[in-house]
Amino acid sequence: EEFPAHLSYNYTTRARYDAGQFSEPIMYRNLFKDYLTVNKAKGSRAYYKWLDDSCVAVSRMSQFAALVTELASKFGCAVPTARANPSLKRLSELKRTFQLSKREVDDLFTQDYARLKCAIVGAFQPSFVQGEINTQNKNKGKIMNCGYDPMKTCLLQQIKPPEMGDVNNLWAFLETLAPIKDVKLNDTGKIAFIECGDDEGVGVPHSEVVHQMPLLAQLLHQLMRQSCKFQVLTDQGIRHEPSKVGSPNFLGGMKWHVNGMRTMGAPYWRSNMGYMCEMREEL
């Protein structure tokens, strides 16, 4: 029962560290910046609270910090002209228990996201991913004519278990995942039109570059591949087996290509950028 809510919290945490840049490397960089400001003294309750709040394992974070120091040191050896750079030198000398002020951390790292993205592209240039908008959505007519904002609407079909075909149960479940504006079901209770709410209400920043699939729709796409039980039914004493909530559909899907080869369009829960996004003003 707890899995959907944990998945939602994990995603929103990652999205906040991403800061609307749609870049997993930048998300990790921002996480590390935040880590440097936390009191990490032995037995520090603040540190373990930060780990829980940030959905990070203590062992992984320790490995992360050690790797940053190692890379900074090796980069200084490999590139002699960079050895004297004060920021690189400071990174190579960091100890795991160091706690820096926010100002000190900001001085260590660039605030220019455009420059940072150029560096990332240069580092990973053989692995460009190209997205192609899928305009052949067989459910486009249904979504366009349902009465909701088409670019905020998710069509959910084959809803399971049957008790989730009740509008109150479905609303209560969706509300635990992400902001929701409205829901309506057909007479059979197996098809629902879901108008997603404003994601900024849960700290997921708006992007001027990417018209991202709403958080609620993304989570439904992820849950379609994972069976789970539903807390809203358990709380009512309704016995039910783990089920995949249904088959969601959203306009503006993307087909992804890597090095000219088509890849599988599947959601990846660890990435803050879902596999569907929309970059046009209108369909």
Side-chain angles (χ1 to χ4, degrees), residues 191-223:
I191 298 177
F193 290 96
I194 302 163
E195 188 171 20
C196 304
D198 185 358
D199 294 342
E200 291 194 42
V202 290
V204 177
H206 172 73
S207 172
E208 296 296 336
V209 178
V210 176
H211 293 243
Q212 176 68 302
M213 183 165 67
L215 174 59
L216 181 55
Q218 291 192 54
L219 291 170
L220 286 172
H221 273 84
Q222 293 169 13
L223 289 170

Side-chain angles (χ1 to χ4, degrees), residues 29 32-33 36 68 85-94 98 100-111:
R29 194 286 298 255
F32 183 68
K33 285 178 62 179
L36 291 176
V68 169
N85 182 278
S87 295
L88 189 66
K89 188 175 180 182
R90 185 72 189 278
L91 282 175
S92 65
E93 295 172 349
L94 282 177
F98 275 15
L100 306 180
S101 67
K102 185 179 183 303
R103 182 174 180 179
E104 288 176 308
V105 172
D106 287 342
D107 288 342
L108 273 176
F109 298 92
T110 181
Q111 306 302 308

Side-chain angles (χ1 to χ4, degrees), residues 3 20 40 42 56 70 74 91 114 128 155 176 192 225 246-247 257 267:
F3 175 74
K40 295 174 285 294
K42 187 175 181 179
V56 178
E70 181 182 351
K74 288 183 175 179
L91 282 175
F128 286 128
L155 172 63
T176 66
R225 290 171 170 81
S247 176
H257 303 264

Side-chain angles (χ1 to χ4, degrees), residues 116-133:
L116 184 54
K117 286 180 178 179
C118 286
I120 293 171
V121 168
F124 299 101
Q125 58 85 18
S127 301
F128 286 128
V129 178
Q130 180 181 1
E132 171 192 356
I133 298 171

Side-chain angles (χ1 to χ4, degrees), residues 182-195:
D182 205 357
V183 177
K184 57 185 176 185
L185 288 128
N186 70 347
D187 294 338
T188 66
K190 293 185 177 181
I191 298 177
F193 290 96
I194 302 163
E195 188 171 20

Side-chain angles (χ1 to χ4, degrees), residues 29-188:
R29 194 286 298 255
N30 290 342
L31 173 72
F32 183 68
K33 285 178 62 179
D34 199 26
Y35 163 84
L36 291 176
T37 68
V38 180
N39 177 10
K40 295 174 285 294
K42 187 175 181 179
S44 170
R45 295 181 65 182
Y47 180 44
Y48 283 94
K49 183 179 185 305
W50 179 85
L51 290 168
D52 288 341
D53 291 346
S54 304
C55 300
V56 178
V58 61
S59 59
R60 293 291 181 88
M61 204 64 231
S62 296
Q63 292 171 2
F64 192 139
L67 184 60
V68 169
T69 302
E70 181 182 351
L71 288 175
S73 179
K74 288 183 175 179
F75 187 77
C77 294
V79 185
T81 55
R83 193 174 302 163
N85 182 278
S87 295
L88 189 66
K89 188 175 180 182
R90 185 72 189 278
L91 282 175
S92 65
E93 295 172 349
L94 282 177
K95 304 297 182 184
R96 293 185 191 179
T97 56
F98 275 15
Q99 180 182 8
L100 306 180
S101 67
K102 185 179 183 303
R103 182 174 180 179
E104 288 176 308
V105 172
D106 287 342
D107 288 342
L108 273 176
F109 298 92
T110 181
Q111 306 302 308
D112 187 339
Y113 280 122
R115 177 179 293 185
L116 184 54
K117 286 180 178 179
C118 286
I120 293 171
V121 168
F124 299 101
Q125 58 85 18
S127 301
F128 286 128
V129 178
Q130 180 181 1
E132 171 192 356
I133 298 171
N134 177 17
T135 58
Q136 306 301 315
N137 191 317
K138 63 182 181 181
N139 291 303
K140 181 176 179 179
K142 296 178 184 177
I143 295 174
M144 294 293 288
N145 297 318
C146 74
Y148 293 157
D149 177 354
M151 295 312 297
K152 287 284 189 179
T153 301
C154 181
L155 172 63
L156 184 64
Q157 302 181 89
Q158 302 170 25
I159 297 172
K160 297 176 184 177
E163 292 83 1
M164 291 301 291
D166 175 84
V167 68
N168 293 319
N169 288 339
L170 183 59
W171 181 292
F173 170 68
L174 297 174
E175 206 171 31
T176 66
L177 298 178
I180 179 174
K181 188 175 180 181
D182 205 357
V183 177
K184 57 185 176 185
L185 288 128
N186 70 347
D187 294 338
T188 66

